[in-house]
Amino acid sequence: MPTSREDVKGLVPLNILVSALLTDMYQITMSYAYWKAGRHNENAVFDLFFRKCPFKGQFAIFAGLSEVIALMNSFTFSPSDIAYLRTVLPHCEEAFFDWLGQLDCRNVRLYALEEGSLCFPRIPLIRVEGPLAVAQLLETPLLNLINYPSLIATNAARLRLAAGADKTLLEFGLRRAQGPDGALSASRYSYIGGFNGTSNVLAGKLIGVDIRGTHAHAFVQSYTSFEQIKDPTLDGKDFVAIVKGYRDRPVCGKGSGSSNDGELAAFTAYAQAFPDGFVALVDTYDTLQSGVPNFLCVALALDDLGHRALGCRLDSGDLSYLSQEVRKMTTEAAKTFNRPFLATTNIVASNDINEESLHYLADQGHAIDTFGIGTNLVTCQAQPALGCVYKLVSIEGVPRIKLSQTTSKITIPGRKAVYRLLGADRVPILDIMLKDGEEPPQPGVPILARHPFVATKRARVTPTQVVRLQEMVWDGQAGGATSDMPTIHEVRATVAKGLKEIRQDTLQRLNPTPYKVSVSEGLHDFLHSLWEKEAPIRELS
Ligand SMILES: *[C@@H]1O[C@H](CO)[C@@H](O)[C@H](O)[C@H]1NC(C)=O
């Protein structure tokens, strides 16, 4: 165990590297300067939010909250952390290190969206309230814990939308991921985003995601003939002889004359090992001439012994064409041998699949049931980072604003309440932020929703239902986490529900309709008056 976990009870982050010291140096130097000025315990409020949805889309999924709460629970600088910091900041006063060494999150409160909920630009995903120095120190680890999980969950949700609800999606990215944590997080948050499972065994053990896997080309290549099968039996029958019996009959109108016997031996051996979990990788030599006929021989032989082959996997070539050809062959074999199950046997595909290629396949037509997606999922090829930021919005009860030449970068000041207004059938109309203390919106009562920066963009909305988006999830003084962490299955269900309820044109790939994020009249006016107050008046001469 790392020293920083020595005294922590209960909830700790899954990744052992997540700790108070996993932060940027400027957080420590700022803390010292706050401490030196005697400001470290001033009441601060920070908002964590993003400004632009990823993947050129109009939605994102909020993920990573459980790990944030686990960090809050274990946040402490260990004696060895402090000893190290002394060496890098030798001029800092000793009392600072004493203070740092006893720091924790007992005076911090966190308010957050529900993990797995749909989220939109500028809405605070998390609001952190607490002593200035601690709240500041939390910036880097919190951003780190939210950005990638939310990005990968969003990416996975987009792939799910592209593939369709009935497909099985498997995450195969471990070998290409950005290091061990990139891989583990990808397995976890792609499941949350709508994937069905992963190839990552450690993710199965640690997180409880379903794991899947069969064999690679190496397994097929390692067999050259049936000679290598020492024991030909399965369930006490001569399985090899049964397989060979099928090999010598025309399967699907193709004699298996041109099929590769080593490949057939490999499939046979694999089926002996996994008679009820047989999936054949069919593209080692030639998918349609060899791989599929060999798969069919073994599937038929297994069926003779009462075992059901699961399917075959394509890992190269034109997946649209090949999958449809494979389906023709299995359908024909189903008729020829009167084995209906063959007509619906699973076709798995896994070759450089991304969101674009899923849409392309859907347009071209295909017969794929299961997609294995690796590199493009875990590396988020189409957008490698989400740009969540962490901004001070209030100090000692005084709202603060951050100005910018780029209007979209101006922050919305103060402690805010956030609501989602729903219309008929619970369809979200927009999100609205209110100034602290304003009356919450009421069902049936019209409210003016304003664009924060564009005066002419406003709408009067009469919600059917009003949902408060942020709940207190960590209350240090009341003992920490305010409720049990949801399971990954519950978070996954939250994602699915959100995607179902939102207007579907918000989710579409081409020209998605932006979802409105607004401020109340009160907050709008306050924002603009503070903006005017803080912006210097330019001197012209
Ligand atoms: C995979 O997940 C989707 C979406 O939740 C679901 O509809 C489908 O039934 C799942 N497939 C399997 C094999 O569990």
Side-chain angles (χ1 to χ4, degrees), residues 208-394:
V209 181
D210 273 358
I211 57 170
R212 301 282 193 87
T214 53
H215 64 254
H217 294 120
F219 185 83
V220 178
Q221 292 167 276
S222 77
Y223 282 85
T224 50
S225 77
F226 279 98
E227 308 284 288
Q228 286 161 296
I229 300 181
K230 299 286 173 266
D231 174 1
T233 62
L234 175 62
D235 300 347
K237 305 265 168 39
D238 189 343
F239 185 56
V240 167
I242 304 173
V243 169
K244 284 181 173 166
Y246 284 108
R247 177 192 62 181
D248 298 336
R249 294 164 65 180
V251 177
C252 318
K254 291 180 199 290
S256 21
S258 60
S259 71
N260 184 299
D261 239 23
E263 183 181 56
L264 184 58
F267 290 175
T268 305
Y270 194 80
Q272 286 178 300
F274 292 96
D276 297 303
F278 177 62
V279 177
L281 176 60
V282 291
D283 72 335
T284 307
Y285 302 115
D286 187 308
T287 301
L288 301 179
Q289 293 299 317
S290 181
V292 179
N294 282 337
F295 160 72
L296 289 169
C297 292
V298 176
L300 288 161
L302 278 172
D303 189 52
D304 287 350
L305 301 184
H307 300 287
R308 178 72 26 106
L310 298 183
C312 57
R313 173 170 155 221
L314 303 165
D315 194 32
S316 58
D318 176 344
L319 297 176
S320 164
Y321 167 76
L322 285 176
S323 65
Q324 296 185 80
E325 288 302 305
V326 173
R327 180 54 78 227
K328 275 187 212 155
M329 290 166 77
T330 66
T331 306
E332 204 177 321
K335 279 196 215 117
T336 309
F337 296 95
N338 192 25
R339 314 282 174 100
F341 78 92
L342 282 175
T344 57
T345 192
N346 213 311
I347 300 177
V348 185
S350 55
N351 178 31
D352 244 0
I353 290 163
N354 60 20
E355 194 180 333
E356 289 303 308
S357 59
L358 286 174
H359 284 290
Y360 173 82
L361 282 168
D363 293 346
Q364 296 292 301
H366 69 86
I368 300 160
D369 305 290
T370 299
F371 291 97
I373 311 182
T375 314
N376 296 320
L377 168 64
V378 304
T379 65
C380 294
Q381 173 209 41
Q383 179 173 334
L386 180 64
C388 278
V389 294
Y390 187 85
K391 296 292 173 192
L392 181 78
V393 294
S394 165

Side-chain angles (χ1 to χ4, degrees), residues 91-112:
H91 87 284
C92 289
E93 289 172 37
E94 192 48 36
F96 167 69
F97 296 109
D98 295 341
W99 167 78
L100 203 60
Q102 53 75 53
L103 211 59
D104 58 27
C105 287
R106 90 183 56 194
N107 292 317
V108 180
R109 278 195 302 266
L110 286 193
Y111 296 79

Side-chain angles (χ1 to χ4, degrees), residues 417-422 430-435 437-449 461-469 518-520:
V418 189
Y419 298 91
R420 185 159 292 170
L421 307 186
L422 311 184
L430 51 75
D431 287 1
I432 187 164
M433 290 180 263
L434 273 66
K435 202 164 169 279
E438 278 190 276
E439 275 299 303
Q442 299 296 328
V445 180
I447 179 170
L448 187 65
V461 182
T462 307
T464 311
Q465 228 176 315
V466 175
V467 181
R468 191 172 65 185
L469 290 185
S518 60
V519 293
S520 66

Side-chain angles (χ1 to χ4, degrees), residues 22-156:
L22 186 72
T23 194
D24 291 312
M25 183 58 171
Y26 80 173
Q27 312 293 8
I28 310 277
T29 50
M30 264 191 286
S31 296
Y32 181 63
Y34 285 141
W35 179 85
K36 188 106 175 83
R39 302 193 58 197
H40 51 290
N41 282 329
E42 287 184 15
N43 267 314
V45 181
F46 286 87
D47 280 347
L48 187 153
F49 60 99
F50 61 87
R51 299 192 179 101
K52 204 163 178 291
C53 292
F55 309 114
K56 300 195 175 80
Q58 294 293 350
F59 74 99
I61 285 167
F62 172 56
L65 182 63
S66 306
E67 288 293 283
V68 165
I69 291 172
L71 169 69
M72 302 294 291
N73 191 54
S74 57
F75 186 93
T76 174
F77 291 95
S78 71
S80 70
D81 293 345
I82 297 290
Y84 170 71
L85 289 173
R86 263 199 199 95
T87 67
V88 294
L89 292 167
H91 87 284
C92 289
E93 289 172 37
E94 192 48 36
F96 167 69
F97 296 109
D98 295 341
W99 167 78
L100 203 60
Q102 53 75 53
L103 211 59
D104 58 27
C105 287
R106 90 183 56 194
N107 292 317
V108 180
R109 278 195 302 266
L110 286 193
Y111 296 79
L113 305 194
E114 185 179 14
E115 185 163 12
S117 51
L118 248 59
C119 57
F120 303 96
R122 282 196 288 272
I123 294 293
L125 309 176
I126 301 180
R127 183 173 80 231
V128 179
E129 301 184 0
L132 177 57
V134 192
Q136 182 73 65
L137 284 165
L138 287 169
E139 171 174 9
T140 308
L142 259 54
L143 288 171
N144 182 275
L145 289 173
I146 296 299
N147 269 319
Y148 182 67
S150 298
L151 185 72
I152 194 94
T154 308
N155 196 17

